[in-house]
Amino acid sequence: MIRIAVVDDKINNRKVITDKLSRNNFFTLVFQAVDGEDFLQQMQKLPQDDQPHIILMDLEMPHVDGVSAIGTASSLYPNIKFVVLTIFDDDEKIFRAIRAGACGYLLKEESGEVIADMLMNLWESGAGPISPSIAYKILQMVQMPSNAKVEKQTDNIFQLSDREKEILQLLSQGLEYKEIGAKIFISPNTVKKHCISIYQKLHVNSRSQALRIAYTKGLI
Amino acid sequence: MIRIAVVDDKINNRKVITDKLSRNNFFTLVFQAVDGEDFLQQMQKLPQDDQPHIILMDLEMPHVDGVSAIGTASSLYPNIKFVVLTIFDDDEKIFRAIRAGACGYLLKEESGEVIADMLMNLWESGAGPISPSIAYKILQMVQMPSNAKVEKQTDNIFQLSDREKEILQLLSQGLEYKEIGAKIFISPNTVKKHCISIYQKLHVNSRSQALRIAYTKGLI
DNA sequence: AAACAAATTATCCAAATGGACTATTGTTTA
DNA sequence: TAAACAATAGTCCATTTGGATAATTTGTTT
């Protein structure tokens, strides 16, 4: 039995996909969420044994968008597979979602059978599902000679400011507030304020969790 | 009418693929070649109006291999689409072929219908055909963090006990004492004792510093 | 000049952390 | 057998941290 969670702000979209999957009784819907924030909160309070195996995530959502939610959750829950399920196929979004940790990228226009098949295959073989047109775009990205430009765009999944990146770097060195403050000549209180802002952007609530994301996502 | 050329050193392979395509009369076989050298020569003496639209190319061939043939020909004939058709799916080959200019990568195990469909689609929409398992590998290439991942340490340079390694692993997930205690059914006080022992063995005095060593030395 | 986003500083409070102790129970080693 | 060690669990205490909230400064952009 494959446990699924669906994240989409439109109730109708959620209904369509859950209906598609419910026709196949290998799938169980664990929960639904309306945005990234809601999703991360529901994950936190979920016992580990009830955690979904696969997340189907829309990208365009209010509050916390899909990309940053995938970025956080794929570090926090490395065993869970994140599949983008959206109507958009523009290069920038695809690239950002994949770099954030998505293992698959399906277009909503795919039929229920195709989606179910691909999720089954993901479960059995670990191969992420990719719509053919998306696959081709990814190929083109690899083909692109100047990936330097792309890297800069993707680098900032979490929209950290320069100062925040600097603080995160110092945090990773094991320094505490007052040490960081002394090193860059600001008050420890300010350092703390920056840290809390960083945690909010990474959707975590402790230094260890922030560092996990920083290390696994190559932020430092 | 889509003009096709097939490049493969094994006569049997050529026969299999031409048979598959001949069932669909949208395709015409322009010529066959036994290796990259042969292919490039035949292309040279071919009038422009007779040039194939799509090349199906094996990679493993004598004399001039598929990758270098694609590299040359995709520059010489920029309007022609090069599709790799091979049994190999190792990352290195995929990457090299794509960088050389291949617009698609199909496995020979695909059925005739699938191959025909994808080539038709390439002709109509320009989207290169990619076998799902190949698509997934390409995605993983994009996903690969730029910074080389540290190999996990096999030998225990810091002499951590099994329990301590377990605790360190849980610490890296961002859990706190009481959460770890609950997870492995021991008192939070004991978790704390383990942590302090870990810090002593790593010669640090905070969680962040311990995690830094853990991440950069491949302890987790 | 006004508006706006960062960056800065501060205070209060509850919770978590690191460190130093002591102590019991098994296991392994000398 | 005695000593050493690992894992367990607890107490006390000072420090650090995370969170909320408010206020000021500093650049940019409009």
Side-chain angles (χ1 to χ4, degrees):
Chain A
M1 201 65 132
I2 308 177
R3 291 194 295 274
I4 306 275
V6 173
V7 189
D8 196 312
D9 59 322
K10 308 276 194 323
I11 182 158
N12 201 44
N13 291 343
R14 296 201 301 274
K15 187 166 160 39
V16 168
I17 178 62
T18 53
D19 280 355
K20 279 181 181 176
L21 293 180
S22 66
R23 284 202 286 274
N24 187 322
N25 49 16
F26 279 105
F27 300 105
T28 315
L29 184 70
V30 181
F31 68 85
Q32 304 184 15
V34 299
D35 63 24
E37 184 80 47
D38 183 22
F39 164 70
L40 289 167
Q41 281 175 4
Q42 292 200 50
M43 280 300 296
Q44 263 192 335
K45 62 182 69 155
L46 206 61
Q48 193 160 24
D49 293 341
D50 297 340
Q51 280 180 2
H53 300 114
I54 299 175
I55 314 293
L56 299 180
M57 175 95 62
D58 189 22
L59 290 186
E60 292 288 324
M61 293 180 295
H63 307 310
V64 175
D65 78 333
V67 171
S68 95
I70 289 175
T72 298
S74 65
S75 285
L76 256 36
Y77 312 104
N79 297 322
I80 297 182
K81 304 287 189 177
F82 296 85
V83 174
V84 173
L85 187 63
T86 187
I87 53 170
F88 299 99
D89 66 342
D90 74 279
D91 301 15
E92 177 63 18
K93 282 210 170 47
I94 295 169
F95 200 81
R96 279 164 42 80
I98 289 169
R99 291 303 295 257
C103 81
Y105 202 110
L106 291 174
L107 295 178
K108 282 180 179 171
E109 64 191 32
E110 303 286 354
S111 72
E113 291 75 38
V114 168
I115 293 179
D117 271 1
M118 293 190 119
L119 294 184
M120 292 289 285
N121 192 52
L122 167 60
W123 173 248
E124 282 161 7
S125 76
I130 300 146
S131 291
S133 67
I134 302 291
Y136 181 56
K137 296 207 170 184
I138 297 174
L139 180 145
Q140 287 178 309
M141 292 176 196
V142 175
Q143 222 161 25
M144 245 187 327
S146 61
N147 31 14
K149 176 174 62 179
V150 190
E151 264 182 49
K152 288 216 171 81
Q153 294 169 346
T154 57
D155 209 71
N156 218 349
I157 296 172
F158 297 102
Q159 314 259 61
L160 295 184
S161 71
D162 287 349
R163 195 56 150 175
E164 286 163 349
K165 282 187 270 189
E166 185 184 8
I167 301 276
L168 184 56
Q169 176 65 47
L170 294 167
L171 271 186
S172 79
Q173 289 168 25
L175 305 181
E176 52 191 47
Y177 295 150
K178 66 171 77 162
E179 292 174 313
I180 294 175
K183 180 159 281 200
I184 61 177
F185 309 109
I186 61 176
S187 156
N189 295 311
T190 309
V191 177
K192 177 176 166 178
K193 180 75 189 69
H194 285 308
C195 287
I196 291 177
S197 301
I198 292 169
Y199 299 164
Q200 286 172 343
K201 290 187 181 179
L202 301 190
H203 316 300
V204 299
N205 42 37
S206 78
R207 188 172 299 190
S208 309
Q209 292 177 327
L211 291 180
R212 178 180 189 80
I213 292 175
Y215 282 114
T216 58
K217 288 295 184 298
L219 268 45
I220 49 181
Chain B
M1 199 65 127
I2 308 175
R3 290 194 295 277
I4 306 278
V6 173
V7 188
D8 195 312
D9 58 320
K10 307 278 196 320
I11 181 156
N12 201 46
N13 291 342
R14 296 201 301 274
K15 185 166 163 42
V16 168
I17 177 62
T18 53
D19 280 356
K20 279 180 180 175
L21 292 180
S22 65
R23 284 202 288 274
N24 187 322
N25 48 17
F26 279 104
F27 300 106
T28 315
L29 184 69
V30 181
F31 68 86
Q32 303 185 13
V34 300
D35 63 25
E37 184 78 46
D38 183 22
F39 164 71
L40 289 168
Q41 282 174 6
Q42 293 199 49
M43 280 300 294
Q44 263 189 336
K45 61 182 70 155
L46 206 63
Q48 193 157 24
D49 292 343
D50 296 340
Q51 278 182 3
H53 300 114
I54 299 174
I55 314 294
L56 299 180
M57 176 93 63
D58 189 24
L59 291 186
E60 291 288 324
M61 293 180 296
H63 307 309
V64 175
D65 77 335
V67 171
S68 87
I70 290 175
T72 300
S74 65
S75 290
L76 256 37
Y77 313 103
N79 298 322
I80 298 181
K81 304 286 188 178
F82 296 85
V83 175
V84 173
L85 186 65
T86 187
I87 53 169
F88 297 98
D89 66 343
D90 74 278
D91 301 15
E92 180 62 18
K93 282 209 170 48
I94 295 169
F95 193 76
R96 278 160 39 82
I98 289 170
R99 293 307 293 258
C103 80
Y105 202 112
L106 291 174
L107 294 178
K108 284 181 178 171
E109 65 191 30
E110 302 288 352
S111 73
E113 291 76 39
V114 168
I115 292 179
D117 272 2
M118 293 190 121
L119 294 185
M120 292 289 285
N121 192 52
L122 166 60
W123 175 248
E124 282 160 8
S125 76
I130 299 145
S131 291
S133 67
I134 301 291
Y136 181 56
K137 295 208 171 184
I138 297 174
L139 181 145
Q140 286 178 310
M141 292 176 195
V142 176
Q143 210 164 33
M144 205 112 68
S146 46
N147 52 350
K149 204 193 287 185
V150 182
E151 281 178 44
K152 181 146 187 173
Q153 282 283 341
T154 48
D155 54 342
N156 201 347
I157 51 177
F158 294 104
Q159 309 265 59
L160 296 183
S161 70
D162 287 350
R163 195 55 150 176
E164 286 163 349
K165 282 186 272 190
E166 185 184 8
I167 301 277
L168 184 57
Q169 176 64 47
L170 293 167
L171 272 186
S172 78
Q173 289 170 25
L175 304 181
E176 51 190 47
Y177 294 150
K178 66 171 77 160
E179 291 174 315
I180 294 175
K183 181 159 282 201
I184 61 177
F185 308 110
I186 61 176
S187 156
N189 295 310
T190 307
V191 176
K192 178 176 166 177
K193 180 67 187 73
H194 285 308
C195 288
I196 292 177
S197 301
I198 291 169
Y199 300 163
Q200 286 172 343
K201 290 186 180 178
L202 301 189
H203 312 297
V204 299
N205 43 35
S206 79
R207 188 171 301 190
S208 310
Q209 293 174 330
L211 290 181
R212 179 181 187 80
I213 292 177
Y215 282 114
T216 57
K217 290 293 191 301
L219 267 44
I220 49 181

